[in-house]
């Protein structure tokens, strides 16, 4: 199954690195986070990739020019100012014949890709999204007046679900995307939700996006400690 990675954003919240390289090329444990993402898919047998390029796409092209792994990598220019939905729309001609996979170029997880595909096929909806628990960025306190009654250091928040990427999508989804300025997470996903064609695969395991340097440092440390759940 083809796997699409959205790799064209500006990554402004990680500007310590993204002034010179695109966000998916920011290294985690010595190699770009996009390669970690591709290894997640490859570990489940999905080795054909369509990478939607935008901001500093030439850096990604240069990295994969002499890449040695046994993957089929298609690097597609989708415009520097194109929104997430527009980037996907520009790939329609490559993806119009079968169910495909899609994720963002800045999030990693120990999600079981093939279990998710089976879930998608069993429920027969247009889109299956990964629902994950948001990691807490700060510790939490419970107070009774000035007295701390409960102290919890940084941990996963248990009361809500968020979009964790790692989609499974039917080609019919393309008709819900207008063009370059369409944001995937707005009109297209809102439309399929109203049609009751959006399902959520709940993933209770590890998931982490890399929005800030704090996130990068956390992921680096997991690799240093040999505790990175997404590395098999």
């Amino acid at each position: 199954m083809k796997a699409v990675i959205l790799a064209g954003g500006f990554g402004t919240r990680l500007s310590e690195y993204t002034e010179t390289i695109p966000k998916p090329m920011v290294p985690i444990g010595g190699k770009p986070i996009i390669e970690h993402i591709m290894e997640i898919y490859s570990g489940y047998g999905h080795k054909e990739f369509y990478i939607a390029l935008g901001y500093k796409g030439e850096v990604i092209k240069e990295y994969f020019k002499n890449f040695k792994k046994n993957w089929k990598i298609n690097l597609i220019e989708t415009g520097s100012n194109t929104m997430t939905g527009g980037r996907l729309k520009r790939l329609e001609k490559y993806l119009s014949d079968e169910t495909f996979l899609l994720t963002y170029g800045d999030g990693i997880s120990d999600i079981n890709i093939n279990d998710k595909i089976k879930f998608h096929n069993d429920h027969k909806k247009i889109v299956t999204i990964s629902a994950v628990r948001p990691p807490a960025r700060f510790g939490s306190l419970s107070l009774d007046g000035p007295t701390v009654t409960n102290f919890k250091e940084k941990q996963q928040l248990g009361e809500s679900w968020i979009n964790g990427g790692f989609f499974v999508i039917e080609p019919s989804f393309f008709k819900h995307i207008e063009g370059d300025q369409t944001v995937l997470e707005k009109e297209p996903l809102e439309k399929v939700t109203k049609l009751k064609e959006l399902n959520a695969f709940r993933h209770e395991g590890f998931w982490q996006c890399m929005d800030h340097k704090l996130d990068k440092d956390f992921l680096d440390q997991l690799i240093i400690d040999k505790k990175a759940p997404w590395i098999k």
Side-chain angles (χ1 to χ4, degrees):
M1 194 173 284
K2 297 170 182 175
V4 177
I5 301 175
L6 299 177
F10 291 102
T12 51
R13 286 178 291 185
L14 203 62
S15 60
E16 300 95 328
Y17 302 93
T18 57
E19 286 185 3
T20 56
I21 60 174
K23 190 177 183 184
M25 290 300 295
V26 173
I28 300 295
K31 64 185 175 185
I33 190 171
I34 192 171
E35 189 174 344
H36 287 278
I37 296 166
M38 295 165 81
E39 285 176 346
I40 294 169
Y41 283 116
S42 176
Y44 290 97
H46 307 288
K47 302 181 180 183
E48 184 174 358
F49 298 97
Y50 286 80
I51 300 177
L53 303 177
Y55 174 70
K56 294 191 180 297
E58 67 278 1
V59 177
I60 299 176
K61 286 181 178 179
E62 184 64 26
Y63 184 78
F64 286 112
K65 186 165 63 174
N66 298 308
F67 199 66
K68 301 299 183 185
K69 290 184 180 176
N70 187 26
W71 299 342
K72 184 177 180 181
I73 303 172
N74 303 276
L75 304 170
I76 314 296
E77 289 286 355
T78 58
S80 293
N81 297 304
T82 307
M83 298 292 102
T84 47
R87 292 192 191 285
L88 178 58
K89 183 72 171 179
R90 288 202 185 196
L91 300 182
E92 182 174 6
K93 65 181 179 181
Y94 307 107
L95 306 168
S96 58
D97 58 345
E98 62 180 351
T99 308
F100 62 92
L101 309 168
L102 168 72
T103 199
Y104 305 104
D106 63 355
I108 47 183
S109 176
D110 62 354
I111 190 169
N112 187 309
I113 300 295
N114 289 345
D115 281 354
K116 180 165 186 184
I117 293 170
K118 183 179 185 305
F119 176 91
H120 175 84
N121 291 337
D122 288 347
H123 289 82
K124 303 184 187 304
K125 300 294 185 180
I126 294 174
V127 179
T128 301
I129 196 171
S130 294
V132 300
R133 301 291 193 183
R137 203 171 289 280
F138 304 100
S140 63
L141 301 176
S142 298
L143 301 177
D144 181 6
T147 304
V148 177
T149 59
N150 193 25
F151 178 91
K152 291 184 180 179
E153 188 44 29
K154 298 172 189 175
Q155 61 177 18
Q156 207 171 49
L157 298 176
E159 69 272 11
S160 62
W161 297 92
I162 62 170
N163 167 21
F166 294 97
F167 300 83
V168 186
I169 302 177
E170 296 300 320
S172 59
F173 182 60
F174 283 109
K175 69 184 179 184
H176 300 292
I177 305 174
E178 293 293 332
D180 281 0
Q181 296 309 304
T182 303
V183 177
L184 176 69
E185 301 78 13
K186 292 187 178 178
E187 290 87 354
L189 289 179
E190 289 170 0
K191 285 179 183 176
V192 293
T193 300
K194 288 178 182 176
L195 293 170
K196 299 189 184 306
E197 287 289 343
L198 177 66
N199 261 2
F201 178 84
R202 299 188 186 200
H203 176 62
E204 295 275 9
F206 177 85
W207 176 87
Q208 179 68 52
C209 63
M210 188 181 64
D211 276 339
H212 303 273
K213 187 177 184 300
L214 184 68
D215 302 323
K216 171 184 158 45
D217 293 344
F218 171 68
L219 294 169
D220 275 329
Q221 193 63 49
L222 286 176
I223 293 176
I224 291 168
D225 295 340
K226 301 187 185 312
K227 294 180 179 179
W230 69 93
I231 297 177
K232 308 301 182 186

